[in-house]
Amino acid sequence: GDFGGGGGRGGTAQQNQFCDRTKAFIDRPDVKKFLDAMWRASNYGKANYGEQGGLIGLGKASNKLFTYDFPKPADAGHHDLPGFGKWAYETHQAHPGVNFVYWVHTHPYDKGQMLNIGGKTGAADDPKLPSGTQGVNGDSVVSAQSGLDAILISKNNITIFNSQKTLCTFDRK
């Protein structure tokens, strides 16, 4: 379940501390700039909208922020990040001095919008939810395979989740 609530609070003291630390991290100007740029690249509300993805890490020696944008193939669908898992693994292997802390992606669509994913058409569930909770075995699998928590950006929210559940949900500013 979502123990974060609308502002990242409402769970146990330990859960609230986790969400408070997470909120402080995503509100860092350098992190916010990366997340905002990824959302803009998603082209929400436009005909050429599409999910975007990436990785966030911190330098093991410097604690400096490192961000990596997934080079999405030009022929990828609106809701696909084909090859993301392989790319994330290779990026991780190529940067041993970086401690990767999150994988990131966007859901640039609205609840109820008709989506075609993998040849199946249906109305979108709430875009703040990871797709693994919507009957599609996608987002939760990436978290499980990468071992990373995820940052999911939608129009009104930023959701933090892992392979098991939603951890925190914050309102976007």
Side-chain angles (χ1 to χ4, degrees), residues 86-103:
K86 181 177 187 286
W87 169 83
Y89 176 80
E90 290 171 352
T91 302
H92 187 271
Q93 294 301 308
H95 299 90
V98 175
N99 178 30
F100 288 88
V101 290
Y102 292 102
W103 76 278

Side-chain angles (χ1 to χ4, degrees):
D2 176 358
F3 65 69
R9 310 243 353 126
T12 67
Q14 183 179 7
Q15 292 161 342
N16 287 339
Q17 289 171 356
F18 171 85
C19 290
D20 289 347
R21 283 192 312 273
T22 302
K23 181 78 168 114
F25 181 78
I26 64 174
D27 282 346
R28 281 176 47 161
D30 51 356
V31 175
K32 186 169 177 11
K33 181 178 177 182
F34 175 69
L35 299 178
D36 288 347
M38 185 172 289
W39 177 251
R40 280 191 308 277
S42 296
N43 292 320
Y44 169 81
K46 299 178 182 169
N48 65 338
Y49 77 96
E51 289 191 18
Q52 301 295 315
L55 294 169
I56 295 177
L58 296 170
K60 290 180 179 175
S62 66
N63 213 33
K64 176 180 180 255
L65 183 75
F66 288 88
T67 59
Y68 304 87
D69 289 302
F70 173 62
K72 185 174 178 175
D75 62 348
H78 294 294
H79 313 286
D80 298 320
L81 294 173
F84 182 87
K86 181 177 187 286
W87 169 83
Y89 176 80
E90 290 171 352
T91 302
H92 187 271
Q93 294 301 308
H95 299 90
V98 175
N99 178 30
F100 288 88
V101 290
Y102 292 102
W103 76 278
V104 185
H105 80 295
T106 64
H107 278 180
Y109 52 82
D110 295 312
K111 186 174 183 173
Q113 182 176 332
M114 293 307 289
L115 306 180
N116 185 325
I117 303 173
K120 295 181 181 176
T121 301
D125 204 339
D126 192 328
K128 77 178 178 185
L129 298 176
S131 66
T133 63
Q134 299 178 55
V136 179
N137 209 10
D139 296 348
S140 60
V141 170
V142 175
S143 285
Q145 290 175 342
S146 68
L148 298 175
D149 289 347
I151 297 174
L152 171 58
I153 309 165
S154 58
K155 179 183 175 188
N156 297 316
N157 300 100
I158 292 180
T159 303
I160 312 301
F161 67 91
N162 62 22
S163 62
Q164 303 296 315
K165 62 185 175 184
T166 296
L167 302 172
C168 314
T169 302
F170 306 106
D171 295 332
R172 283 189 69 221
K173 295 178 180 130

